[in-house]
Structure formats: C-alpha cells, structure tokens
Amino acid sequence: MMKRRELRTCTFEVLFRTFYHRSEEMAEQTELYLNSMEAPLTEADRQEVRLRVAGIISKLPQIDAIISSKAVKWPIERMSRVDLTILRLGVYELKFDDEIPDGVAINEAVELAKTYGGENSSSFVNGVLARIVQ
C-alpha cells in the first residue's frame, strides 16, 4: 500500500488533468494515469485515488466557492493551475474528509506547493487554507 502522501500526490496529478479534459473524460484519464505508474499500485490504492478524484470533481462548485470567498484578491481565473489544483485538494480534505486533521491537510498542501508550485505558491496556499480553517 502507498503512503497517504503518495496517494495525495497521485490525486493531485490526476486532478490537474481537469484543466485539459472534460469531466466526463476524467474516469478514463484517471485510469490512464494509474496504468502509467512505474510502481504497480494495489487495487486498494487505485480505488482510493479514484474515489478522491471523483469526490473532488463532484464538489468543485462548492470547493471553488470556498476558495473564492477566502482568496478575495486572487480570483480563481488569475490563480496558477497548480496552485488552484492544490487548493482544491486541500479544501476537499479540510471540508469533506473527516479522517484528515486540518493541520495535516494544510501541511500536505504546502508540501505539494513547494514541489509543484512556483516561488510563492507555498505561502499562498498556506494563507488561503489557513483563512478557510479560521
């Protein structure tokens, strides 16, 4: 089984594809991604990624509304796609996944931002998610 951080990274990478594919294509895109992994995934890992991606996509309007309400000076349209994807994942974990403590969700989002985002992504993600928790 993969560690939760690895599953989160997989979820982020699949979720990023939503900018390039219609929602009805995302199940296929998820499978293409899962099948392209170098290390074989267990069926439980595959299912976890599928469920998380589908859960986030199904709640995108709610998630984006939450982000918009706390990132007032940064409309979603102006955010980098990487930052927005990380925020969507972070908000999902904060608001819709009771198994993940808020501090862990924020910390993991910041770590993703350090890895995938730009120079200021980690502080931006941290600030938005911290406002959401308050």
Side-chain angles (χ1 to χ4, degrees):
M1 292 216 37
M2 294 179 89
K3 295 178 183 172
R4 191 172 286 275
R5 178 172 281 185
E6 294 167 322
L7 289 170
R8 186 176 284 108
T9 299
C10 289
T11 302
F12 162 77
E13 290 178 355
V14 173
L15 194 60
F16 188 77
R17 293 178 179 213
T18 61
F19 291 106
Y20 304 100
H21 300 281
R22 295 186 317 266
S23 59
E24 57 271 7
E25 297 173 319
M26 286 310 298
E28 179 184 3
Q29 287 300 311
T30 302
E31 293 309 310
L32 287 170
Y33 173 84
L34 293 172
N35 292 333
S36 74
M37 298 289 294
E38 287 182 24
L41 300 174
T42 66
E43 187 52 39
D45 291 340
R46 290 170 160 275
Q47 190 60 21
E48 179 69 20
V49 172
R50 287 182 197 115
L51 289 172
R52 291 172 65 77
V53 169
I56 294 167
I57 290 172
S58 73
K59 297 192 180 315
L60 273 182
Q62 294 164 276
I63 291 170
D64 285 354
I66 293 168
I67 293 169
S68 293
S69 73
K70 298 301 180 180
V72 184
K73 294 180 182 178
W74 281 94
I76 283 181
E77 301 78 34
R78 285 190 56 208
M79 291 179 193
S80 80
R81 291 176 175 180
V82 169
D83 292 353
L84 180 54
T85 302
I86 293 168
L87 286 170
R88 286 172 168 171
L89 177 55
V91 170
Y92 178 81
E93 290 184 347
L94 289 171
K95 297 296 185 181
F96 304 105
D97 189 337
D98 296 334
E99 293 182 19
I100 300 174
D102 290 351
V104 171
I106 293 172
N107 183 59
E108 291 296 324
V110 168
E111 291 302 315
L112 279 172
K114 287 178 183 177
T115 301
Y116 292 96
E119 184 178 323
N120 299 316
S121 292
S122 60
S123 59
F124 176 70
V125 166
N126 185 55
V128 173
L129 294 178
R131 282 191 291 272
I132 290 168
V133 171
Q134 291 176 347

